[in-house]
Amino acid sequence: MSADGDNVAFLLSQLGHRSAAVFADLIASVALTAPHAGILRLIAAEPGQSQQAPSGQLGLLPSRVVAYVDELEDRGFVERRRNPDDRRLHALYLTAAGKKMMAKIGELGQKHERLMTAGLTADDKVTLHQLLSAVAQRQGLTPHVHPGYRNLGRTR
């Protein structure tokens, strides 16, 4: 525990909450939610994956992913195509508008990074990244996937 009484776990929780709120505000500026952005990111990284793939990767209920994909398709960011290997499945692809949105999400991600690391030197940022990466790995967190997705669309 530090001299001011806050331990590392509390500070991580406090900063994690703040970071999620800042990102939600930024992504709302393009009328998306964090799950929308996460699904777009997964599709951009692996075009042609099935509709079920984001469900497993994000830990979201399949029905919830379908609803998010429906919304993204309605907005013209995603298209479903029949999977040539299994015509029962749909493969997901970004449209031209989806690719433009991914560029905007990238810009917002960079702004988020600047906001959350304001006041740190370049060396501080490298050190902080290394330390947080080590903690995340030891906690068994999936790289590039926010664990908060797992609670979306579930009832308690």
Side-chain angles (χ1 to χ4, degrees), residues 57-108:
Q57 291 170 304
L58 296 175
L60 286 170
L61 295 171
S63 61
R64 198 64 213 127
V65 171
V66 169
Y68 285 127
V69 171
D70 286 346
E71 293 166 4
L72 292 167
E73 186 176 44
D74 290 346
R75 294 187 54 195
F77 298 139
V78 171
E79 66 178 338
R80 290 176 170 108
R81 299 181 200 159
R82 288 281 182 203
N83 185 323
D85 299 327
D86 185 343
R87 298 198 46 82
R88 296 170 295 171
L89 299 176
H90 286 95
L92 302 174
Y93 296 89
L94 294 182
T95 63
K99 291 174 184 174
K100 286 182 184 176
M101 180 54 73
M102 278 304 304
K104 182 65 178 170
I105 291 168
E107 292 168 12
L108 292 172

Short mmCIF file of all heavy atoms in Angstrom, two decimals, residues 57-108:
data_model
loop_
_atom_site.label_atom_id
_atom_site.label_comp_id
_atom_site.label_asym_id
_atom_site.label_seq_id
_atom_site.Cartn_x
_atom_site.Cartn_y
_atom_site.Cartn_z
N GLN A 57 -14.66 -14.97 -29.12
CA GLN A 57 -13.51 -14.11 -28.85
C GLN A 57 -13.82 -13.04 -27.81
O GLN A 57 -12.97 -12.70 -26.99
CB GLN A 57 -13.02 -13.47 -30.15
CG GLN A 57 -12.40 -14.48 -31.10
CD GLN A 57 -12.14 -13.87 -32.47
OE1 GLN A 57 -13.04 -13.36 -33.11
NE2 GLN A 57 -10.90 -13.93 -32.89
N LEU A 58 -15.02 -12.49 -27.85
CA LEU A 58 -15.39 -11.42 -26.92
C LEU A 58 -16.10 -11.92 -25.67
O LEU A 58 -16.31 -11.17 -24.73
CB LEU A 58 -16.28 -10.39 -27.62
CG LEU A 58 -15.64 -9.63 -28.78
CD1 LEU A 58 -16.67 -8.74 -29.47
CD2 LEU A 58 -14.44 -8.82 -28.32
N GLY A 59 -16.47 -13.18 -25.68
CA GLY A 59 -17.19 -13.73 -24.54
C GLY A 59 -18.61 -13.22 -24.43
O GLY A 59 -19.17 -13.16 -23.35
N LEU A 60 -19.19 -12.82 -25.56
CA LEU A 60 -20.56 -12.34 -25.60
C LEU A 60 -21.50 -13.48 -25.98
O LEU A 60 -21.10 -14.40 -26.70
CB LEU A 60 -20.72 -11.22 -26.64
CG LEU A 60 -20.15 -9.86 -26.30
CD1 LEU A 60 -20.17 -8.96 -27.53
CD2 LEU A 60 -20.92 -9.22 -25.18
N LEU A 61 -22.73 -13.39 -25.54
CA LEU A 61 -23.73 -14.36 -25.96
C LEU A 61 -23.91 -14.26 -27.47
O LEU A 61 -23.95 -13.15 -28.03
CB LEU A 61 -25.07 -14.07 -25.27
CG LEU A 61 -25.09 -14.23 -23.76
CD1 LEU A 61 -26.41 -13.70 -23.20
CD2 LEU A 61 -24.92 -15.69 -23.39
N PRO A 62 -24.03 -15.40 -28.17
CA PRO A 62 -24.20 -15.36 -29.62
C PRO A 62 -25.38 -14.49 -30.06
O PRO A 62 -25.27 -13.75 -31.05
CB PRO A 62 -24.42 -16.83 -30.00
CG PRO A 62 -23.73 -17.59 -28.92
CD PRO A 62 -23.92 -16.77 -27.67
N SER A 63 -26.47 -14.53 -29.35
CA SER A 63 -27.63 -13.71 -29.72
C SER A 63 -27.31 -12.22 -29.62
O SER A 63 -27.82 -11.41 -30.41
CB SER A 63 -28.84 -14.04 -28.85
OG SER A 63 -28.55 -13.78 -27.48
N ARG A 64 -26.47 -11.85 -28.68
CA ARG A 64 -26.08 -10.45 -28.53
C ARG A 64 -25.19 -10.01 -29.68
O ARG A 64 -25.32 -8.91 -30.20
CB ARG A 64 -25.35 -10.29 -27.19
CG ARG A 64 -25.25 -8.90 -26.70
CD ARG A 64 -26.63 -8.30 -26.38
NE ARG A 64 -26.57 -6.90 -26.69
CZ ARG A 64 -27.40 -6.21 -27.47
NH1 ARG A 64 -28.43 -6.78 -28.00
NH2 ARG A 64 -27.21 -4.95 -27.71
N VAL A 65 -24.28 -10.90 -30.09
CA VAL A 65 -23.40 -10.57 -31.23
C VAL A 65 -24.23 -10.39 -32.49
O VAL A 65 -24.00 -9.46 -33.26
CB VAL A 65 -22.31 -11.65 -31.42
CG1 VAL A 65 -21.55 -11.44 -32.73
CG2 VAL A 65 -21.34 -11.64 -30.25
N VAL A 66 -25.21 -11.27 -32.69
CA VAL A 66 -26.07 -11.15 -33.88
C VAL A 66 -26.77 -9.80 -33.88
O VAL A 66 -26.84 -9.12 -34.91
CB VAL A 66 -27.10 -12.31 -33.94
CG1 VAL A 66 -28.15 -12.05 -34.99
CG2 VAL A 66 -26.39 -13.63 -34.22
N ALA A 67 -27.25 -9.37 -32.72
CA ALA A 67 -27.91 -8.06 -32.64
C ALA A 67 -26.94 -6.92 -32.98
O ALA A 67 -27.30 -6.00 -33.72
CB ALA A 67 -28.51 -7.86 -31.25
N TYR A 68 -25.72 -6.99 -32.45
CA TYR A 68 -24.73 -5.97 -32.78
C TYR A 68 -24.37 -6.00 -34.26
O TYR A 68 -24.26 -4.94 -34.90
CB TYR A 68 -23.45 -6.14 -31.94
CG TYR A 68 -23.57 -5.72 -30.50
CD1 TYR A 68 -23.21 -6.57 -29.47
CD2 TYR A 68 -23.99 -4.44 -30.16
CE1 TYR A 68 -23.30 -6.19 -28.15
CE2 TYR A 68 -24.08 -4.05 -28.83
CZ TYR A 68 -23.73 -4.92 -27.83
OH TYR A 68 -23.82 -4.53 -26.52
N VAL A 69 -24.20 -7.17 -34.82
CA VAL A 69 -23.88 -7.28 -36.25
C VAL A 69 -25.04 -6.75 -37.08
O VAL A 69 -24.82 -6.06 -38.09
CB VAL A 69 -23.49 -8.73 -36.63
CG1 VAL A 69 -23.37 -8.88 -38.15
CG2 VAL A 69 -22.17 -9.12 -35.96
N ASP A 70 -26.27 -7.05 -36.68
CA ASP A 70 -27.44 -6.50 -37.38
C ASP A 70 -27.37 -4.97 -37.41
O ASP A 70 -27.60 -4.35 -38.46
CB ASP A 70 -28.75 -6.91 -36.68
CG ASP A 70 -29.13 -8.35 -36.90
OD1 ASP A 70 -28.56 -9.01 -37.80
OD2 ASP A 70 -30.01 -8.83 -36.14
N GLU A 71 -27.06 -4.37 -36.26
CA GLU A 71 -26.96 -2.91 -36.18
C GLU A 71 -25.84 -2.38 -37.08
O GLU A 71 -26.02 -1.38 -37.78
CB GLU A 71 -26.72 -2.48 -34.73
CG GLU A 71 -27.89 -2.74 -33.82
CD GLU A 71 -27.55 -2.63 -32.34
OE1 GLU A 71 -26.41 -2.26 -31.99
OE2 GLU A 71 -28.45 -2.93 -31.51
N LEU A 72 -24.70 -3.06 -37.07
CA LEU A 72 -23.58 -2.63 -37.92
C LEU A 72 -23.90 -2.80 -39.39
O LEU A 72 -23.51 -1.97 -40.22
CB LEU A 72 -22.31 -3.40 -37.53
CG LEU A 72 -21.75 -3.07 -36.15
CD1 LEU A 72 -20.70 -4.10 -35.74
CD2 LEU A 72 -21.19 -1.66 -36.11
N GLU A 73 -24.62 -3.86 -39.72
CA GLU A 73 -25.03 -4.08 -41.11
C GLU A 73 -26.05 -3.01 -41.53
O GLU A 73 -25.94 -2.46 -42.64
CB GLU A 73 -25.63 -5.48 -41.26
CG GLU A 73 -25.94 -5.85 -42.70
CD GLU A 73 -26.45 -7.27 -42.83
OE1 GLU A 73 -27.30 -7.69 -42.00
OE2 GLU A 73 -26.02 -7.95 -43.78
N ASP A 74 -27.01 -2.72 -40.66
CA ASP A 74 -28.01 -1.69 -40.96
C ASP A 74 -27.36 -0.32 -41.22
O ASP A 74 -27.87 0.47 -42.01
CB ASP A 74 -29.02 -1.56 -39.83
CG ASP A 74 -29.96 -2.74 -39.71
OD1 ASP A 74 -30.03 -3.57 -40.66
OD2 ASP A 74 -30.63 -2.86 -38.66
N ARG A 75 -26.25 -0.07 -40.55
CA ARG A 75 -25.55 1.20 -40.72
C ARG A 75 -24.57 1.18 -41.89
O ARG A 75 -23.91 2.18 -42.17
CB ARG A 75 -24.83 1.56 -39.43
CG ARG A 75 -25.85 1.84 -38.32
CD ARG A 75 -25.30 2.36 -37.07
NE ARG A 75 -24.49 3.55 -37.26
CZ ARG A 75 -23.66 4.01 -36.34
NH1 ARG A 75 -23.54 3.41 -35.17
NH2 ARG A 75 -22.93 5.09 -36.56
N GLY A 76 -24.46 0.04 -42.55
CA GLY A 76 -23.61 -0.05 -43.73
C GLY A 76 -22.14 -0.31 -43.47
O GLY A 76 -21.32 -0.14 -44.36
N PHE A 77 -21.79 -0.75 -42.26
CA PHE A 77 -20.39 -0.98 -41.92
C PHE A 77 -19.95 -2.42 -42.13
O PHE A 77 -18.75 -2.69 -42.28
CB PHE A 77 -20.12 -0.61 -40.45
CG PHE A 77 -20.38 0.84 -40.13
CD1 PHE A 77 -21.00 1.19 -38.96
CD2 PHE A 77 -20.00 1.85 -41.00
CE1 PHE A 77 -21.23 2.52 -38.64
CE2 PHE A 77 -20.23 3.18 -40.71
CZ PHE A 77 -20.85 3.52 -39.52
N VAL A 78 -20.89 -3.35 -42.11
CA VAL A 78 -20.59 -4.77 -42.20
C VAL A 78 -21.52 -5.41 -43.23
O VAL A 78 -22.67 -4.99 -43.37
CB VAL A 78 -20.81 -5.45 -40.82
CG1 VAL A 78 -20.72 -6.97 -40.91
CG2 VAL A 78 -19.81 -4.93 -39.80
N GLU A 79 -21.00 -6.41 -43.92
CA GLU A 79 -21.87 -7.21 -44.78
C GLU A 79 -21.67 -8.68 -44.47
O GLU A 79 -20.58 -9.11 -44.10
CB GLU A 79 -21.62 -6.92 -46.26
CG GLU A 79 -20.26 -7.33 -46.78
CD GLU A 79 -20.10 -7.05 -48.27
OE1 GLU A 79 -21.11 -6.94 -48.98
OE2 GLU A 79 -18.95 -6.96 -48.70
N ARG A 80 -22.76 -9.40 -44.58
CA ARG A 80 -22.73 -10.85 -44.39
C ARG A 80 -22.73 -11.48 -45.78
O ARG A 80 -23.50 -11.09 -46.64
CB ARG A 80 -23.97 -11.32 -43.65
CG ARG A 80 -24.04 -10.92 -42.20
CD ARG A 80 -25.39 -11.40 -41.63
NE ARG A 80 -25.46 -11.26 -40.20
CZ ARG A 80 -26.21 -10.36 -39.58
NH1 ARG A 80 -26.91 -9.47 -40.25
NH2 ARG A 80 -26.24 -10.33 -38.26
N ARG A 81 -21.87 -12.47 -45.94
CA ARG A 81 -21.83 -13.24 -47.19
C ARG A 81 -21.89 -14.71 -46.81
O ARG A 81 -21.39 -15.11 -45.76
CB ARG A 81 -20.53 -12.99 -47.96
CG ARG A 81 -20.31 -11.57 -48.38
CD ARG A 81 -19.00 -11.47 -49.17
NE ARG A 81 -18.50 -10.10 -49.19
CZ ARG A 81 -17.24 -9.77 -49.43
NH1 ARG A 81 -16.34 -10.70 -49.67
NH2 ARG A 81 -16.88 -8.51 -49.43
N ARG A 82 -22.48 -15.48 -47.67
CA ARG A 82 -22.49 -16.93 -47.44
C ARG A 82 -21.06 -17.44 -47.42
O ARG A 82 -20.24 -17.07 -48.25
CB ARG A 82 -23.26 -17.67 -48.54
CG ARG A 82 -24.75 -17.48 -48.47
CD ARG A 82 -25.31 -18.38 -47.42
NE ARG A 82 -26.76 -18.23 -47.38
CZ ARG A 82 -27.49 -18.51 -46.35
NH1 ARG A 82 -26.94 -18.96 -45.24
NH2 ARG A 82 -28.78 -18.36 -46.38
N ASN A 83 -20.78 -18.28 -46.45
CA ASN A 83 -19.47 -18.89 -46.35
C ASN A 83 -19.36 -19.94 -47.45
O ASN A 83 -20.17 -20.86 -47.50
CB ASN A 83 -19.31 -19.54 -44.97
CG ASN A 83 -17.95 -20.10 -44.73
OD1 ASN A 83 -17.32 -20.65 -45.62
ND2 ASN A 83 -17.48 -19.99 -43.50
N PRO A 84 -18.37 -19.83 -48.34
CA PRO A 84 -18.27 -20.78 -49.44
C PRO A 84 -17.99 -22.21 -48.98
O PRO A 84 -18.34 -23.17 -49.67
CB PRO A 84 -17.12 -20.25 -50.30
CG PRO A 84 -16.37 -19.31 -49.42
CD PRO A 84 -17.32 -18.82 -48.39
N ASP A 85 -17.40 -22.38 -47.81
CA ASP A 85 -17.08 -23.71 -47.29
C ASP A 85 -18.26 -24.35 -46.57
O ASP A 85 -18.32 -25.58 -46.46
CB ASP A 85 -15.87 -23.65 -46.35
CG ASP A 85 -14.63 -23.14 -47.05
OD1 ASP A 85 -14.47 -23.42 -48.26
OD2 ASP A 85 -13.84 -22.45 -46.40
N ASP A 86 -19.16 -23.53 -46.05
CA ASP A 86 -20.33 -24.04 -45.33
C ASP A 86 -21.45 -23.03 -45.53
O ASP A 86 -21.53 -22.03 -44.83
CB ASP A 86 -20.01 -24.22 -43.84
CG ASP A 86 -21.15 -24.86 -43.07
OD1 ASP A 86 -22.30 -24.90 -43.58
OD2 ASP A 86 -20.90 -25.32 -41.94
N ARG A 87 -22.33 -23.32 -46.47
CA ARG A 87 -23.35 -22.35 -46.86
C ARG A 87 -24.38 -22.09 -45.77
O ARG A 87 -25.18 -21.17 -45.88
CB ARG A 87 -24.02 -22.81 -48.15
CG ARG A 87 -22.97 -22.86 -49.28
CD ARG A 87 -23.49 -22.87 -50.66
NE ARG A 87 -24.53 -21.96 -51.04
CZ ARG A 87 -24.36 -20.68 -51.38
NH1 ARG A 87 -23.16 -20.15 -51.33
NH2 ARG A 87 -25.37 -19.95 -51.76
N ARG A 88 -24.34 -22.84 -44.68
CA ARG A 88 -25.23 -22.57 -43.55
C ARG A 88 -24.73 -21.38 -42.73
O ARG A 88 -25.48 -20.79 -41.96
CB ARG A 88 -25.33 -23.79 -42.63
CG ARG A 88 -25.97 -25.00 -43.28
CD ARG A 88 -25.79 -26.20 -42.38
NE ARG A 88 -24.36 -26.50 -42.29
CZ ARG A 88 -23.81 -27.37 -41.47
NH1 ARG A 88 -24.56 -28.05 -40.63
NH2 ARG A 88 -22.52 -27.59 -41.46
N LEU A 89 -23.45 -21.05 -42.89
CA LEU A 89 -22.83 -19.98 -42.11
C LEU A 89 -22.68 -18.72 -42.94
O LEU A 89 -22.55 -18.78 -44.16
CB LEU A 89 -21.45 -20.40 -41.62
CG LEU A 89 -21.38 -21.62 -40.70
CD1 LEU A 89 -19.93 -21.95 -40.39
CD2 LEU A 89 -22.16 -21.37 -39.42
N HIS A 90 -22.69 -17.60 -42.25
CA HIS A 90 -22.42 -16.32 -42.89
C HIS A 90 -21.03 -15.85 -42.48
O HIS A 90 -20.65 -15.96 -41.31
CB HIS A 90 -23.44 -15.25 -42.46
CG HIS A 90 -24.77 -15.43 -43.09
ND1 HIS A 90 -25.79 -16.11 -42.49
CD2 HIS A 90 -25.23 -15.03 -44.29
CE1 HIS A 90 -26.84 -16.11 -43.27
NE2 HIS A 90 -26.53 -15.45 -44.38
N ALA A 91 -20.29 -15.33 -43.46
CA ALA A 91 -18.98 -14.75 -43.20
C ALA A 91 -19.14 -13.23 -43.12
O ALA A 91 -19.96 -12.66 -43.83
CB ALA A 91 -18.01 -15.13 -44.32
N LEU A 92 -18.38 -12.61 -42.24
CA LEU A 92 -18.49 -11.17 -42.00
C LEU A 92 -17.33 -10.42 -42.65
O LEU A 92 -16.17 -10.84 -42.54
CB LEU A 92 -18.50 -10.89 -40.49
CG LEU A 92 -19.61 -11.56 -39.69
CD1 LEU A 92 -19.40 -11.30 -38.20
CD2 LEU A 92 -20.97 -11.07 -40.15
N TYR A 93 -17.68 -9.31 -43.30
CA TYR A 93 -16.70 -8.46 -43.96
C TYR A 93 -17.04 -7.00 -43.70
O TYR A 93 -18.23 -6.66 -43.57
CB TYR A 93 -16.71 -8.70 -45.48
CG TYR A 93 -16.28 -10.08 -45.87
CD1 TYR A 93 -17.21 -11.11 -45.97
CD2 TYR A 93 -14.95 -10.35 -46.14
CE1 TYR A 93 -16.82 -12.39 -46.32
CE2 TYR A 93 -14.56 -11.63 -46.50
CZ TYR A 93 -15.50 -12.65 -46.59
OH TYR A 93 -15.10 -13.91 -46.92
N LEU A 94 -16.01 -6.16 -43.65
CA LEU A 94 -16.24 -4.73 -43.58
C LEU A 94 -16.57 -4.21 -44.97
O LEU A 94 -15.99 -4.65 -45.96
CB LEU A 94 -15.00 -3.99 -43.06
CG LEU A 94 -14.57 -4.24 -41.63
CD1 LEU A 94 -13.35 -3.36 -41.31
CD2 LEU A 94 -15.69 -3.98 -40.65
N THR A 95 -17.48 -3.26 -45.03
CA THR A 95 -17.75 -2.54 -46.27
C THR A 95 -16.75 -1.39 -46.37
O THR A 95 -15.95 -1.16 -45.45
CB THR A 95 -19.18 -1.97 -46.24
OG1 THR A 95 -19.24 -1.03 -45.16
CG2 THR A 95 -20.23 -3.07 -46.07
N ALA A 96 -16.82 -0.64 -47.45
CA ALA A 96 -15.97 0.55 -47.59
C ALA A 96 -16.25 1.52 -46.43
O ALA A 96 -15.31 2.08 -45.84
CB ALA A 96 -16.20 1.22 -48.93
N ALA A 97 -17.52 1.69 -46.08
CA ALA A 97 -17.87 2.56 -44.96
C ALA A 97 -17.33 1.99 -43.65
O ALA A 97 -16.91 2.74 -42.76
CB ALA A 97 -19.39 2.74 -44.87
N GLY A 98 -17.33 0.68 -43.52
CA GLY A 98 -16.78 0.04 -42.33
C GLY A 98 -15.29 0.27 -42.20
O GLY A 98 -14.77 0.48 -41.10
N LYS A 99 -14.60 0.23 -43.33
CA LYS A 99 -13.15 0.49 -43.31
C LYS A 99 -12.86 1.93 -42.93
O LYS A 99 -11.92 2.21 -42.17
CB LYS A 99 -12.54 0.14 -44.66
CG LYS A 99 -12.54 -1.35 -44.93
CD LYS A 99 -12.07 -1.70 -46.32
CE LYS A 99 -12.19 -3.21 -46.55
NZ LYS A 99 -11.88 -3.58 -47.93
N LYS A 100 -13.70 2.86 -43.40
CA LYS A 100 -13.54 4.27 -43.01
C LYS A 100 -13.81 4.43 -41.52
O LYS A 100 -13.12 5.19 -40.83
CB LYS A 100 -14.49 5.15 -43.81
CG LYS A 100 -14.06 5.36 -45.24
CD LYS A 100 -15.02 6.28 -45.97
CE LYS A 100 -14.62 6.40 -47.43
NZ LYS A 100 -15.57 7.21 -48.20
N MET A 101 -14.82 3.72 -41.02
CA MET A 101 -15.13 3.80 -39.59
C MET A 101 -13.97 3.23 -38.77
O MET A 101 -13.64 3.76 -37.71
CB MET A 101 -16.42 3.06 -39.27
CG MET A 101 -16.81 3.10 -37.80
SD MET A 101 -16.91 4.76 -37.06
CE MET A 101 -18.42 5.35 -37.80
N MET A 102 -13.34 2.16 -39.26
CA MET A 102 -12.19 1.62 -38.55
C MET A 102 -11.05 2.64 -38.47
O MET A 102 -10.37 2.73 -37.45
CB MET A 102 -11.68 0.33 -39.22
CG MET A 102 -12.46 -0.90 -38.82
SD MET A 102 -12.51 -1.19 -37.04
CE MET A 102 -10.78 -1.26 -36.63
N ALA A 103 -10.86 3.42 -39.51
CA ALA A 103 -9.84 4.46 -39.48
C ALA A 103 -10.20 5.50 -38.41
O ALA A 103 -9.34 5.94 -37.64
CB ALA A 103 -9.71 5.13 -40.85
N LYS A 104 -11.49 5.85 -38.33
CA LYS A 104 -11.94 6.80 -37.31
C LYS A 104 -11.76 6.21 -35.91
O LYS A 104 -11.32 6.91 -34.99
CB LYS A 104 -13.40 7.18 -37.57
CG LYS A 104 -13.94 8.19 -36.60
CD LYS A 104 -13.23 9.52 -36.74
CE LYS A 104 -13.82 10.55 -35.79
NZ LYS A 104 -13.01 11.76 -35.72
N ILE A 105 -12.09 4.93 -35.74
CA ILE A 105 -11.90 4.27 -34.45
C ILE A 105 -10.42 4.28 -34.07
O ILE A 105 -10.07 4.50 -32.91
CB ILE A 105 -12.48 2.84 -34.47
CG1 ILE A 105 -14.01 2.90 -34.54
CG2 ILE A 105 -12.02 2.04 -33.25
CD1 ILE A 105 -14.66 1.55 -34.85
N GLY A 106 -9.56 4.07 -35.05
CA GLY A 106 -8.11 4.14 -34.79
C GLY A 106 -7.69 5.52 -34.29
O GLY A 106 -6.89 5.63 -33.35
N GLU A 107 -8.24 6.57 -34.92
CA GLU A 107 -7.94 7.93 -34.48
C GLU A 107 -8.44 8.16 -33.05
O GLU A 107 -7.74 8.77 -32.23
CB GLU A 107 -8.60 8.95 -35.42
CG GLU A 107 -8.01 8.98 -36.81
CD GLU A 107 -8.86 9.79 -37.78
OE1 GLU A 107 -9.79 10.51 -37.34
OE2 GLU A 107 -8.61 9.69 -39.00
N LEU A 108 -9.64 7.66 -32.76
CA LEU A 108 -10.19 7.81 -31.41
C LEU A 108 -9.36 7.01 -30.40
O LEU A 108 -9.17 7.46 -29.27
CB LEU A 108 -11.65 7.37 -31.38
CG LEU A 108 -12.62 8.27 -32.15
CD1 LEU A 108 -14.00 7.64 -32.21
CD2 LEU A 108 -12.67 9.67 -31.56
#
